[in-house]
Amino acid sequence: MAMRLGYVIDKKSCIGCHACAVACKVENNLPDGVWWNRILTEGGENRDTPKGTYPNLSMGNIAVSCQHCDNPACVKVCPVGATYKDEATGAVRQDYDKCIGCRMCMAACPYTGVRSFNWEEPVYAIGQDMGDVSVAKHQKHTVEKCTMCWHRLAQGLQPACIEVCPARVRYFGDFDDPDSEVSKLIREREYMQLLPDSGTSPSVYYLV
């Protein structure tokens, strides 16, 4: 049975610890300089700084990664089918072996910075692979992004970012199942989405 897997993130309760970003990097053996999941600060000009003047300060956090859109702009422009939507899960995936490095998907995606491009052979900080052995090998001249930890889904597990969140603000499930936790959350709580007018119908919802 087809699903529409996606995320709900409680933006109001996120503590900005970056545990999800680090877990993603390690689990997926990401090369130096590559982050598929980033925690951005809604505040001052620099990360983890508030806006305003003391004592009237405010700061928030927002986790940004591939939005795994239901109507992905990236899939429509890929000339070789390297960027594609998995019909069984709704996840937007990358096939590194097919990718020709044209970066059309990066240009079409309205969510700046959720993809990266390997200009050279990937380099790693500790000189050896980390994470799950099932992770696809990173390649030169290919586009990369969040995979929903596809290798973990195949084992019946949740994405690494979900399991490590100490504040338990990240949720993952099937939006096509009305009884799933994620479906209940967006029915019961006020939420926002990134660039809702882009027509991409993202599968990431932020509780506010």
Side-chain angles (χ1 to χ4, degrees):
M1 181 182 295
M3 299 181 288
R4 185 191 169 207
L5 295 180
Y7 300 88
V8 171
I9 302 172
D10 190 342
K11 182 173 171 289
K12 191 173 182 179
S13 300
C14 176
I15 60 176
C17 67
H18 303 272
C20 54
V22 173
C24 170
K25 189 171 183 69
V26 173
E27 175 71 23
N28 292 285
N29 191 37
L30 299 187
D32 285 0
V34 175
W35 296 86
W36 287 351
N37 189 9
R38 297 171 298 142
I39 308 302
L40 305 183
T41 304
E42 293 181 314
E45 294 182 2
N46 300 311
R47 178 184 287 182
D48 299 328
T49 61
K51 66 179 177 181
T53 304
Y54 181 83
N56 301 310
L57 300 172
S58 64
M59 187 175 79
N61 304 288
I62 184 165
V64 180
S65 62
C66 174
Q67 301 291 292
H68 292 281
C69 304
D70 200 33
N71 183 32
C74 56
V75 171
K76 296 176 182 178
V77 299
C78 181
V80 293
T83 299
Y84 66 100
K85 182 179 176 182
D86 180 67
E87 294 301 325
T89 64
V92 177
R93 300 184 59 191
Q94 294 282 133
D95 187 328
Y96 301 153
D97 292 330
K98 287 185 178 179
C99 182
I100 58 174
C102 69
R103 289 163 284 147
M104 291 290 288
C105 58
M106 297 179 75
C109 176
Y111 305 103
T112 304
V114 301
R115 281 175 161 78
S116 60
F117 183 71
N118 293 327
W119 290 96
E120 302 295 340
E121 287 294 340
V123 176
Y124 303 90
I126 64 173
Q128 66 183 47
D129 291 347
M130 295 187 292
D132 197 287
V133 296
S134 302
V135 172
K137 182 176 175 56
H138 302 282
Q139 302 177 30
K140 179 179 178 181
H141 292 167
T142 56
V143 175
E144 298 189 350
K145 65 171 198 65
C146 163
T147 66
M148 280 190 183
C149 283
W150 183 258
H151 59 287
R152 291 177 61 86
L153 296 185
Q155 301 173 56
L157 302 173
Q158 292 192 322
C161 62
I162 303 296
E163 293 196 350
V164 303
C165 179
R168 296 293 181 260
V169 302
R170 300 179 69 97
Y171 305 87
F172 182 76
D174 181 10
F175 289 111
D176 281 349
D177 177 2
D179 296 322
S180 69
E181 186 173 26
V182 291
S183 292
K184 290 178 181 177
L185 283 168
I186 62 173
R187 276 203 308 269
E188 298 167 359
R189 294 272 304 272
E190 185 178 356
Y191 66 83
M192 59 165 277
Q193 290 180 289
L194 299 182
L195 305 179
D197 295 333
S198 66
T200 59
S201 187
S203 296
V204 181
Y205 296 76
Y206 298 89
L207 304 180
V208 295

